[in-house]
Amino acid sequence: RRLLEEALRRRISTVVSTVTRDEQQQLLREWFANEENDDAFEDDKVVAAWLEQKTDRVEELFDAWKAKVEAENMVQHVSSASDDALLAALQSLSPERREQLLSSLQ
């Protein structure tokens, strides 16, 4: 279990370098609790089996978390950007992507 958790912790740290071990542990517990009985999180064999047997699901959970973190970071950057910076960013997009983005805002 520890080896599998450590590998996942390293991946989490590559996304958010400031995340603490406690925050990593809480995130792993949340992912596990979404799939299994939260009380079983203390059972090393159960968690190890979950990490080994549900690698695709763990990957989905990681990817969803990573996308959420990236979106939150983008919101912080965009909300503090000047109008000129936002306009320049929109103009750098392809016409199709710009239209797609603008239509989703309406």
Side-chain angles (χ1 to χ4, degrees), residues 5-21:
E5 280 184 350
E6 282 304 316
L8 201 47
R9 286 177 195 275
R10 280 191 299 277
R11 292 185 65 207
I12 291 168
S13 292
T14 64
V15 176
V16 181
S17 61
T18 59
V19 69
T20 66
R21 281 192 74 76

Side-chain angles (χ1 to χ4, degrees), residues 19-101:
V19 69
T20 66
R21 281 192 74 76
D22 287 342
E23 291 168 332
Q24 291 171 346
Q25 189 70 10
Q26 183 59 35
L27 186 58
L28 294 172
R29 180 183 283 277
E30 287 173 20
W31 292 347
F32 181 82
N34 285 337
E35 307 294 314
E36 305 288 335
N37 180 352
D38 186 43
D39 295 335
F41 190 73
E42 301 307 320
D43 186 329
D44 289 342
K45 289 181 182 179
V46 172
V47 176
W50 179 72
L51 289 168
E52 289 174 337
Q53 296 169 5
K54 305 285 184 161
T55 54
D56 290 344
R57 181 62 182 141
V58 172
E59 188 68 23
E60 288 173 9
L61 292 166
F62 174 82
D63 289 343
W65 170 80
K66 181 179 176 184
K68 179 183 170 196
V69 168
E70 290 171 346
E72 289 169 353
N73 289 339
M74 182 60 68
V75 166
Q76 288 177 344
H77 290 302
V78 168
S79 65
S80 64
S82 69
D83 289 349
D84 290 340
L86 292 172
L87 183 59
L90 283 173
Q91 290 173 336
S92 72
L93 298 174
S94 70
E96 297 83 21
R97 180 70 176 120
R98 185 172 39 245
E99 182 61 34
Q100 184 183 40
L101 182 61

